[in-house]
Amino acid sequence: MKHGAFPLILLWSTCLFGQASSAAGNSSGVRPCSLLNRSPNATQAIDAADLFQAYSTQVRLVRSLHMIASMKGTAGIEYETGSEPLALAAIVDLMQPNLIRITGVVPYQGSRAVELTSDGHQFGLLIPEGGEKVFLTGPIDAPPQSKNARENLRPRPFIEALRWAEGTPRAITGPGPANASDTRTLTVDVASTENTPSRKVDVVFDLTKGVVSTLTAYDNTGAPIFEARYGDWRTETDTSSGDVAECFARHIVLVELQQDYQVDIRITDLNLNPPIPKSYF
């Protein structure tokens, strides 16, 4: 067995068997949760201010994170990758505002298949190609143009799906007044940064559960960049300390709309706001 393979096999086992049944999770303190300051089944009206407060609270919640997840990636037929999704175990570390490291490991082989990083200015992408490892780098928002789906991976959709961008509310759509049987879409304007022009995001709230079901980000021309679909929102109680973790989605499907690929992410272990040195990225 290759040196270092055994710990990576343990990582993959965690991804497989860490997805315990909901019943097992509930016995250890895992509970469904709501982003809204009310019971999901309440019939009281919800206005734009309530939704934006819930969105902003979640923005401020995530300053850094460390997580272990299983990831399955699929791409459009134009990439000629076949119908079988690429399944990986992954370690993800993120720190505000735009630092990330994703290491994807091939199941039971103990080798990295993909590594994607951002230091806030440049991205790095390590992928296998023809039996060898290829390393690509460039500005964080460099447009992807390859026919190889893996070469088109960029860090920003992952960053913004895991840590929502701060912004100002523009509008809320849907018939009013909002009640618990409805969905509502909040549009948020995100200001420009050093590397990214101003843009907007549409945030769809499922009021029956009190959570966000979909977030769609657009570029400054109004064209959609990516869509993140959220499920399995949970909070978890630390059985040793009794502390309750904040509400966070454990299932995220990231759809890159302009590049026609998607990544299904199932989080098996999550640590919010751990100390991570910038040098790690």
Side-chain angles (χ1 to χ4, degrees):
M1 179 178 291
K2 295 180 181 178
H3 176 71
F6 186 63
L8 295 177
I9 289 174
L10 287 179
L11 164 64
W12 182 248
S13 298
T14 300
C15 288
L16 286 178
F17 303 113
Q19 299 178 47
S21 67
S22 298
N26 286 340
S27 65
S28 62
V30 176
R31 297 288 185 273
C33 57
S34 170
L35 302 179
L36 300 173
N37 292 323
R38 64 167 179 81
S39 168
N41 295 320
T43 57
Q44 68 189 82
I46 296 296
D47 60 23
D50 295 318
L51 300 184
F52 184 66
Q53 179 181 356
Y55 176 85
S56 299
T57 298
Q58 202 69 11
V59 169
R60 294 189 295 269
L61 167 66
V62 183
R63 301 180 298 278
S64 66
L65 67 78
H66 171 82
M67 72 184 201
I68 297 173
S70 62
M71 292 187 177
K72 289 185 178 180
T74 54
I77 59 174
E78 67 272 22
Y79 289 110
E80 299 179 350
T81 58
S83 58
E84 189 68 24
L86 174 66
L88 299 173
I91 300 174
V92 181
D93 289 281
L94 176 147
M95 188 168 70
Q96 66 178 2
N98 50 12
L99 308 179
I100 196 168
R101 177 181 292 273
I102 302 173
T103 302
V105 180
V106 177
Y108 304 114
Q109 292 184 15
S111 62
R112 290 180 299 173
V114 175
E115 186 158 80
L116 178 64
T117 63
S118 165
D119 65 2
H121 301 282
Q122 298 283 115
F123 80 90
L125 177 61
L126 181 70
I127 58 171
E129 190 69 55
E132 297 182 353
K133 295 292 177 64
V134 176
F135 183 72
L136 306 174
T137 188
I140 187 173
D141 287 321
Q145 299 174 334
S146 176
K147 290 187 176 181
N148 182 334
R150 283 175 292 189
E151 291 184 5
N152 285 336
L153 290 172
R154 293 294 183 270
R156 186 164 299 282
F158 291 92
I159 293 170
E160 295 192 2
L162 294 169
R163 181 183 181 274
W164 297 344
E166 187 173 356
T168 56
R170 179 193 297 185
I172 182 171
T173 61
N179 58 55
S181 64
D182 296 327
T183 61
R184 286 294 180 272
T185 300
L186 177 73
T187 298
V188 177
D189 286 315
V190 179
S192 61
T193 64
E194 179 182 355
N195 297 298
T196 308
S198 60
R199 60 208 187 279
K200 73 165 187 173
V201 294
D202 283 340
V203 187
V204 179
F205 282 81
D206 177 353
L207 299 186
T208 64
K209 298 178 180 178
V211 298
V212 168
S213 59
T214 307
L215 182 147
T216 305
Y218 301 81
D219 63 22
N220 61 339
T221 70
I225 305 172
F226 72 86
E227 178 180 277
R229 303 166 187 164
Y230 299 94
D232 193 17
W233 286 88
R234 287 190 260 152
T235 187
E236 187 169 357
T237 302
D238 186 325
T239 54
S240 61
S241 66
D243 294 336
V244 178
E246 298 293 342
C247 195
F248 200 87
R250 284 353 191 240
H251 184 202
I252 303 171
V253 179
L254 179 61
V255 183
E256 222 294 358
L257 299 169
Q258 294 182 355
Q259 301 302 320
D260 194 18
Y261 68 78
Q262 73 176 45
V263 181
D264 188 298
I265 305 168
R266 293 187 179 271
I267 301 171
T268 55
D269 186 72
L270 175 67
N271 184 6
L272 286 176
N273 303 319
I276 306 175
K278 285 188 176 181
S279 58
Y280 182 69
F281 303 95

